[in-house]
Amino acid sequence: MTHLRRALPLLLLPVVVTSAACGTESANRPELEARARALGIARDMVYVTDVPGYTLAAQSVGVVGDHGYGAFYSSPGGGMIAIRVDERRGDPVACSDPDTRPATERGSCEQDESWYRASGTGHEYVFQDGGRVIRLSGDRAGVTRDVLRRAAEHAHQADDRELAGVLPTGGVGPGPVERGDLPADGDGAPQDPFGITAGTSG
């Protein structure tokens, strides 16, 4: 699968205190779909990844946008990787015109199988899979580029076994995944200097 990468200014990621590895629990397809619907998530939006030393923070699983998926992977050393999956409508994922913002605001953006985008504090890999956009992001102080690249390279749509380990069994979780692209104050639009979320359901 071809990945598209880029770098985006990110706010500090929220702390998730509960972590758990994907389980080996099994479930039938109707049950899995019901568990996804209970969270407002479309089943085909659930993606997982595999990074040594990082485990899924089970309580972080939640809906992104209308029916997308988001979660965090955490490490004992405090590193946090966010995965967000949402719909993509319109043009393929790519860096916007580099002249649209000053370089100090724009950060950097380059293609390296996926799009890699970085600001002073955060960075992310972004790629498109069919009609979905998948983002793997983290704080640059806590997650190296190599680790984030591996997370992007190993990100894939969850199969039934993986869904059974990711989706909670007790109904709706504690709430939506904290977004890193919203302004700190007021009801302004999401902060997206590269324009890659345009046309998504979120």
Side-chain angles (χ1 to χ4, degrees):
M1 173 171 49
T2 300
H3 288 15
L4 303 171
R5 312 172 152 167
R6 329 174 173 178
L8 161 76
L10 300 172
L11 301 181
L12 291 178
L13 298 175
V15 175
V16 181
V17 295
T18 300
S19 63
C22 292
T24 57
E25 172 189 3
S26 61
N28 59 38
R29 181 65 59 85
E31 178 186 341
L32 291 171
E33 292 178 348
R35 285 161 63 177
R37 283 196 304 271
L39 291 169
I41 299 169
R43 180 188 175 281
D44 64 354
M45 290 286 187
V46 181
Y47 277 62
V48 295
T49 189
D50 177 24
V51 183
Y54 283 76
T55 55
L56 178 71
Q59 290 185 348
S60 71
V61 172
V63 65
V64 168
D66 292 337
H67 50 253
Y69 170 80
F72 288 92
Y73 288 79
S74 62
S75 73
M80 300 272 298
I81 297 173
I83 183 169
R84 293 185 59 210
V85 184
D86 204 355
E87 285 183 335
R88 174 71 186 183
R89 301 186 183 95
D91 296 335
V93 173
C95 289
S96 61
D97 185 344
D99 295 327
T100 56
R101 297 193 187 276
T104 53
E105 294 180 28
R106 192 175 66 245
S108 62
C109 178
E110 63 185 77
Q111 190 169 9
D112 177 11
E113 294 188 11
S114 301
W115 289 104
Y116 174 73
R117 307 195 306 177
S119 69
T121 58
H123 55 168
E124 72 173 5
Y125 278 95
V126 184
F127 67 93
Q128 188 168 340
D129 183 15
R132 297 170 292 274
V133 174
I134 300 90
R135 306 168 190 274
L136 286 298
S137 59
D139 184 340
R140 294 179 73 179
V143 181
T144 67
R145 180 171 175 172
D146 285 344
V147 167
L148 201 58
R149 181 189 295 112
R150 178 181 173 105
E153 290 173 347
H154 288 260
H156 61 277
Q157 196 173 48
D159 61 24
D160 286 358
R161 180 188 61 80
E162 291 166 328
L163 279 169
V166 166
L167 297 173
T169 57
V172 179
V177 170
E178 183 75 18
R179 291 181 61 149
D181 59 350
L182 297 177
D185 301 308
D187 297 322
Q191 301 167 353
D192 186 19
F194 289 90
I196 64 170
T197 59
T200 68
S201 62

